[in-house]
Amino acid sequence: MDQAEQLRNIVKKNQQSAAQKARIFTVTSGKGGVGKSNVAVNLAVQMQRQGKKVIIFDADLGLANVEIMFGAIPKYNLSDLIYRGKTMQEIITPGPLDIGFISGGSGITGVNNLSKDKLKFLVQNLSELDSLADVILIDTGAGISDHVLEFVMASPEILLIATSEPSSLTDAYSLLKALHRNPEFRQAQTKIKVISNRVATEEEGTGIYEKLNAVVGQFLKGNLEYLGLIPQDSAMEKAVRQQQPVSILYPDAKSTKAFETLACNLLEGNTIPLHQKKGIMQLFSRFIYKRN
């Protein structure tokens, strides 16, 4: 029995005993600098305020935007769970409003080299994470690296952040093209929701979505959903400079109200059918399935 088959058996066994599966949103973008981590953090704040237990998983190996905005430097990361005997509870760093934060560190790229015992240990702990949260927000790196695409392809619900800048639209389409042309992508089981960031008007926000959806429909035979917009807001710019979420620092700001609306739309909108719902265990299992 190869390692991939061992993983399938372990995942299946743990899924049968899992009490629940957290709802997973992967936040991504075609390029850096469009406010992706800012969106993830503020959505987490708003979802937590709406009674959901939220954990952010920082899968961006190059930057530490989430921990900077939370002012919470993680003592441990995923590598400490896998290789140094730390528990899932120990690697979850508490952030504002008791939002949990997990740093992927180098542990993400190392999961394909795990022994059978380490593999079993990881999956069992990921099963625990599924029951610790109602929502898991995964903040990916920007761009279309293999690492980013792994997370995006594995996720049932994708939040694509884009601005009206031509480079943002071009790079967002490049990510979507790489996604749709991957033979392992399952369009029918994936919801891709566009969030238009830093817009001046509602028309600008819908225009970003319409441009992306038009080219995706024409050239990729796919479709996107429009979740909503985040307005250009001086309060958010001030919050970023102060390394805090605008939803906490300026609760009455127009961008804060927009994040509240987006969080409501996500939590109250249509969800992936239960038989298609993936827990965090299944998402991580892709990293090993592909390499064995």
Side-chain angles (χ1 to χ4, degrees):
M1 184 184 297
D2 62 17
Q3 193 178 32
E5 184 62 29
Q6 293 170 2
L7 176 65
R8 292 185 183 94
N9 292 337
I10 294 169
V11 169
K12 183 177 180 180
K13 181 178 179 180
N14 279 275
Q15 284 174 332
Q16 290 171 345
S17 60
Q20 72 175 78
K21 293 180 184 177
R23 193 169 173 193
I24 298 172
F25 299 100
T26 292
V27 187
T28 192
S29 64
K31 68 185 291 290
V34 300
K36 172 179 55 61
S37 296
N38 203 358
V39 171
V41 166
N42 281 284
L43 284 178
V45 170
Q46 295 297 341
M47 289 179 177
Q48 194 86 354
R49 283 177 172 164
Q50 294 178 40
K52 301 298 182 182
K53 176 59 181 174
V54 183
I55 292 176
I56 297 181
F57 190 97
D58 190 353
D60 188 346
L61 301 183
L63 299 172
N65 292 333
V66 174
E67 62 188 65
I68 290 173
M69 292 186 64
F70 268 0
I73 307 303
K75 187 175 181 179
Y76 305 114
N77 59 35
L78 191 65
S79 292
D80 294 298
L81 172 74
I82 297 171
Y83 301 109
R84 285 173 280 280
K86 299 302 177 182
T87 66
M88 181 61 72
Q89 295 278 10
E90 286 177 310
I91 72 166
I92 299 176
T93 302
L97 306 182
D98 201 32
I99 298 168
F101 166 64
I102 297 176
S103 172
S106 60
I108 297 172
T109 55
V111 295
N112 57 304
N113 296 317
L114 296 180
S115 67
K116 180 180 177 180
D117 288 342
K118 290 291 185 184
L119 182 62
K120 183 177 181 179
F121 176 77
L122 173 61
V123 173
Q124 287 173 338
N125 278 272
L126 290 173
S127 175
E128 179 186 353
L129 181 60
D130 247 338
S131 63
L132 288 174
D134 301 306
V135 176
I136 299 173
L137 287 164
I138 298 177
D139 183 28
T140 72
I144 56 173
S145 67
D146 290 343
H147 172 73
V148 171
L149 286 175
E150 288 282 4
F151 274 107
V152 176
M153 281 194 299
S155 300
E157 297 183 82
I158 299 164
L159 307 182
L160 178 63
I161 316 304
T163 69
S164 59
E165 296 178 6
S167 59
S168 172
L169 294 171
T170 300
D171 291 343
Y173 174 69
S174 296
L175 184 147
L176 293 167
K177 181 170 66 174
L179 182 66
H180 278 80
R181 293 185 175 177
N182 190 299
E184 297 185 13
F185 175 60
R186 299 294 180 260
Q187 181 178 325
Q189 299 177 17
T190 308
K191 292 181 180 293
I192 305 175
K193 307 170 192 286
V194 175
I195 297 177
S196 301
N197 195 19
R198 301 174 187 158
V199 300
T201 64
E202 290 188 10
E203 290 75 17
E204 184 180 355
T206 55
I208 291 170
Y209 161 73
E210 288 168 354
K211 289 175 183 176
L212 285 172
N213 195 46
V215 293
V216 167
Q218 180 178 355
F219 298 108
L220 304 178
K221 308 305 178 186
N223 67 284
L224 309 174
E225 299 178 19
Y226 183 50
L227 186 64
L229 62 85
I230 304 158
Q232 186 72 42
D233 186 6
S234 59
M236 185 155 65
E237 295 171 2
K238 292 177 184 177
V240 170
R241 287 196 293 270
Q242 295 180 60
Q243 298 181 351
Q244 293 189 53
V246 68
S247 293
I248 292 177
L249 196 59
Y250 300 107
D252 296 321
K254 58 183 180 180
S255 55
T256 297
K257 301 301 183 184
F259 282 119
E260 182 180 1
T261 299
L262 291 172
C264 284
N265 290 343
L266 282 172
L267 295 177
E268 297 175 4
N270 294 329
T271 63
I272 293 293
L274 185 61
H275 69 278
Q276 294 179 7
K277 195 174 180 183
K278 300 176 182 178
I280 193 72
M281 288 187 299
Q282 282 183 307
L283 187 145
F284 262 86
S285 69
R286 283 188 52 86
F287 288 86
I288 304 169
Y289 286 165
K290 280 182 66 66
R291 295 170 173 84
N292 289 275

